[in-house]
């Protein structure tokens, strides 16, 4: 007998799927986030906020878990509670076939779903690095002449000229953008501090250095000052950068941010036959 190379086993489950709004599964989302050893930055939570959400229920209507789909074909989260985790493979297959899922995003520290993504993938591409502060690291400012100020509306022309933020006015309104200036008053960079969407005790930080003044220690100085602002608020800084941005990774690490994981984009295999289960 020739064994199939397809990972699909097509087992059925008696779990049901229902599309819901975020409040209906917030407890499950909180459980899922709390099961991770590290929160990561806001990349996955941002995807989750823009996704359609589905509750997984047992035959007696107990909440068994949830999953999220963005743009009708991207899986952005999958979580099953412990009592139902033995059905994770069957539910994963159900989601892939029923919703024609083509790709998914997952963090390397999501130990529940990562093995499934690996087994069913036909292609895998790195998306972003994830960083958390090494608390044992204390580093001096390489450019003590650089100071941060909270951005206001007068800074919008500079922010928009740099094209770093997708909605500069929104960042200014929420008081999430900072302007880095040197002793002469010239704006030389941008800092970002955002509340983490999943955990109150974390803050997501980021920075941008004007191209004309790069490789002068300004980026590291901005990050070190952002880190201090976060720590002074009693929170923990986290960060992320795209995997191709090696200079950004080097700058983050030089400021004491340690790479503790990554986000990958997976493209999934399809079963030989996909009967309609809608």
């Amino acid at each position: 007998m020739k064994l199939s190379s397809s990972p699909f086993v097509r087992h059925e489950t008696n779990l049901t799927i229902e599309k819901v709004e975020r409040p209906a599964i917030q407890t499950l989302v909180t459980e899922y986030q709390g099961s991770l050893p590290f929160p990561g930055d806001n990349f996955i939570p941002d995807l989750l906020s823009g996704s359609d959400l589905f509750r997984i229920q047992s035959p007696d209507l107990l909440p068994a878990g949830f999953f999220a789909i963005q743009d009708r074909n991207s899986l952005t989260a999958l979580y099953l509670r412990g009592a139902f985790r033995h059905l994770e493979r069957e539910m994963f297959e159900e989601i892939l076939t029923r919703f024609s899922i083509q790709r998914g995003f997952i963090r390397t520290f999501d130990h529940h779903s990562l093995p499934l993504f690996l087994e069913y993938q036909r292609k895998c591409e790195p998306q972003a690095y994830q960083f958390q502060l090494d608390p044992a690291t204390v580093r001096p400012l390489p450019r003590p002449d650089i100071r941060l100020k909270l951005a206001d509306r007068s800074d919008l022309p500079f922010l928009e000229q740099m094209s770093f933020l997708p909605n500069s006015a929104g960042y200014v309104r929420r008081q999430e953008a900072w302007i880095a200036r040197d002793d002469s008053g010239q704006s030389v960079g941008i800092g970002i501090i955002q509340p983490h969407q999943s955990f109150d005790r974390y803050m997501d930080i980021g920075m941008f250095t004007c191209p004309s003044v790069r490789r002068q220690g300004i980026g590291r100085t901005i990050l070190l000052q952002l880190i201090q602002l976060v720590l002074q608020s009693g929170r923990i800084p986290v960060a992320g950068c795209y995997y191709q941005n090696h200079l950004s990774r080097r700058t983050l690490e030089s400021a004491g941010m340690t790479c503790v994981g990554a986000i990958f984009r997976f493209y999934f295999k399809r079963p030989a036959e996909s009967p309609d289960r809608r």
Side-chain angles (χ1 to χ4, degrees):
M1 180 178 67
K2 183 178 179 181
L3 296 178
S4 170
S5 61
S6 172
F8 288 81
V9 294
R10 311 294 293 149
H11 288 164
E12 301 287 345
T13 76
N14 56 2
L15 300 178
T16 59
I17 294 171
E18 176 188 14
K19 187 176 180 180
V20 296
E21 297 299 324
R22 180 70 174 257
I25 61 165
Q26 186 55 52
T27 299
L28 291 166
V29 173
T30 301
E31 282 183 17
Y32 164 62
Q33 296 287 359
S35 71
L36 303 176
F38 169 66
D41 69 354
N42 275 328
F43 182 85
I44 294 293
D46 282 343
L47 292 181
L48 195 59
S49 296
S51 297
D52 292 327
L53 303 173
F54 299 83
R55 179 169 53 201
I56 305 169
Q57 294 190 133
S58 67
D60 50 2
L61 301 183
L62 290 175
F66 82 97
F67 62 94
I69 298 175
Q70 185 192 52
D71 298 331
R72 296 189 175 185
N73 64 8
S74 295
L75 186 65
T76 54
L78 170 61
Y79 172 70
L80 283 176
R81 283 176 159 170
F84 303 94
R85 200 158 289 154
H86 65 287
L87 297 172
E88 195 168 44
R89 178 187 176 117
E90 288 84 348
M91 181 52 60
F92 191 73
E93 290 189 7
E94 175 75 14
I95 294 168
L96 292 187
T97 55
R98 179 173 176 177
F99 295 92
S100 301
I101 299 299
Q102 299 177 15
R103 67 177 187 171
F105 295 89
I106 194 166
R107 294 166 280 201
T108 53
F109 40 89
D110 186 343
H111 301 151
H112 299 308
S113 298
L114 182 58
L116 289 170
F117 276 59
L118 288 168
E119 183 177 4
Y120 287 81
Q121 60 94 15
R122 62 178 174 82
K123 185 171 67 170
C124 172
E125 297 176 348
Q127 177 74 28
Y129 297 114
Q130 301 284 278
F131 300 85
Q132 184 171 329
L133 178 67
D134 179 357
T137 302
V138 178
R139 299 173 189 261
L141 293 178
R143 290 287 302 272
D145 60 311
I146 304 298
R147 291 288 182 267
L148 295 182
K149 67 170 285 286
L150 191 62
D152 56 37
R153 293 187 60 83
S154 67
D155 298 303
L156 284 175
F158 169 73
L159 291 171
E160 292 167 356
Q161 179 185 2
M162 294 299 101
S163 301
F164 173 58
L165 302 175
N167 180 6
S168 299
Y171 280 83
V172 171
R173 184 177 62 256
R174 296 188 300 270
Q175 296 188 327
E176 296 173 349
W178 298 73
I179 304 299
R181 289 179 175 166
D182 61 18
D183 283 344
S184 70
Q186 179 185 357
S187 297
V188 294
I190 303 167
I192 301 297
I193 302 179
Q194 290 183 296
H196 198 282
Q197 290 196 27
S198 301
F199 295 97
D200 290 340
R201 63 194 184 101
Y202 291 92
M203 301 289 279
D204 193 357
I205 65 172
M207 68 84 194
F208 172 86
T209 304
C210 296
S212 61
V213 292
R214 287 178 179 169
R215 296 180 179 273
Q216 299 179 30
I218 294 174
R220 189 193 317 171
T221 299
I222 294 173
L223 284 171
L224 287 168
Q225 293 190 51
L226 294 175
I227 289 169
Q228 286 304 310
L229 288 169
V230 172
L231 293 176
Q232 288 168 10
S233 73
R235 314 286 180 80
I236 301 171
V238 296
C241 73
Y242 286 107
Y243 81 99
Q244 291 179 321
N245 196 342
H246 303 297
L247 291 178
S248 181
R249 172 172 180 166
R250 185 182 306 170
T251 303
L252 282 161
E253 291 175 334
S254 73
M257 300 295 289
T258 300
C259 184
V260 294
I263 297 171
F264 281 84
R265 181 173 59 251
F266 284 84
Y267 295 87
F268 298 118
K269 298 175 183 177
R270 302 292 302 140
E273 296 181 7
S274 301
D276 189 4
R277 299 184 179 186
R278 297 178 190 273

